[in-house]
Amino acid sequence: PRIGFPPFLSRKGGSVRLTQTVPNQEWGAKRLTHTQPYLTQSLVNLTLKRTAPIMSSVSEPLAPDAPPQLRTPWEIFVIYLRLGLTCFGGSIAHIGYFHAEIVKKRGWVSERDYGDIVALCNFLPGPTSSQISMTIGLMQAGFWGAFAAWLGFSLPSFLFMAGVAQGLTRFGDVIPNSALHGLQLMAVAVVAQAVWGMGRNLLRQAWQFVIMFAGVAIIILVPDKFIQIYVMLAAGVLGLVLFKPQPILGRDVLRFNLSRRVGFTLLVIFFGLLVGLPILDVIWPHHYLEFITAFYRAGSLVFGGGYVLLPLLQSEAAANNWLSPEILMAGYGATLALPGPVFSFAAFLGGAMTVPPNGWLGSGLAYIAIFGPSFLLIGGVLPFWHSVLRNPRAQAAMLGVNAAVVAVLAAALYDPIWRNGVHHVADVAVVLVVLAVLLSGKVPSWLLVFLAGGICWGLGINP
């Protein structure tokens, strides 16, 4: 039977067009339109009585071509502060938390835009989940929105890890060695799970496995503190030669108020600091400058998220005698058990060092230095991202870099994580127990601290 359509529905081109009036501070009241071809047949065959409940279920996310509704920096800060207190499990898990809160619940960005944001932040070096929060904040409220999102998401983990650093350095003798050893063994299990998960997600072609295994061998056999960086650069070059991906076409650009001139300026600053800080450290050697250079370089060159951060910072710490391997591994284990970005390990490392800057000052400087490159990269790359997304050469290079990311993490699992943490059969048993609990998904990651530490302390398992 022929039915009429209410004012917010209209038939056009064999599909139903949904329109909605949305007030917006920047754009004013606009009638947003979203074509939903897949709803056509079902809606045509429905009566008017059943149209309203269907509309209530499909009209929650805004149309992908809708301009973003502006939010205040304070609102963004509050939302991400709650996420920073509840997001466990590393960047892969954080992406799921963000999707549920930002896309599904609040509709701040569309599904398609969120997918592009995740692709952008996986393409860039640095803390993936923090960069996603920065990008969404930037789209909602400009640079202050990006800062508010980062601060809200990272502040809890900064305070936690700076506090852990103070506790271990001041009261480390009070904590039983067996309990600290449990943290080291927990780190082995968590990183082993990360290697498996990242390998399944990132390695799709035979040549990627070849690059990965070769990268593991080179990193383990070549004693150079920059070997991880060299391997990732070489893998990117090999990706250009070995892979021929198809360009991604037909995608709209992400919407933000940022010109290419501003983006180019931020990229110049990023590369200027990356190249200039080491040169300045040679010309004017100073421990504070060496400290800032090391953390800025780590934040600029780490692909694959916080799990890959340990090899770079561990080599820096060992080369400069910043702290003992036991304290470093215990802090890394604590980082993996806490909510928020894994890059908060920098706050622990800066605060626990035996030489200045340390304490709260060291934690603050390390945090700013390691997250600073992400602000510059997000603001610098966003205006050019659509061009990169369409460039098959960039996609080919990333296929190679992805294989190198898994190689860096797998090599770190062997050295220093396994070699410094696992010494006898009892250690292997604890790692397997923690790994089984972790894979079950039924126990929150923060409880693993007490599980691993309690097992080692209760059974008297010492390093």
Side-chain angles (χ1 to χ4, degrees), residues 80 114 153 188 286-287 363 390 397 448 453:
Y80 275 99
Y114 186 72
F153 184 59
V188 176
H286 192 277
H287 179 66
S363 295
R390 291 173 175 269
L448 295 177

Side-chain angles (χ1 to χ4, degrees), residues 210-229:
V210 173
I211 294 173
M212 187 271 291
F213 285 116
V216 171
I218 293 171
I219 293 171
I220 291 175
L221 296 176
V222 178
D224 190 297
K225 70 176 184 177
F226 298 122
I227 189 62
Q228 296 91 357
I229 298 172

Side-chain angles (χ1 to χ4, degrees), residues 246-252 386 389-391:
Q246 296 296 319
I248 302 175
L249 303 175
R251 302 298 299 272
D252 293 337
H386 191 51
L389 197 64
R390 291 173 175 269
N391 190 337

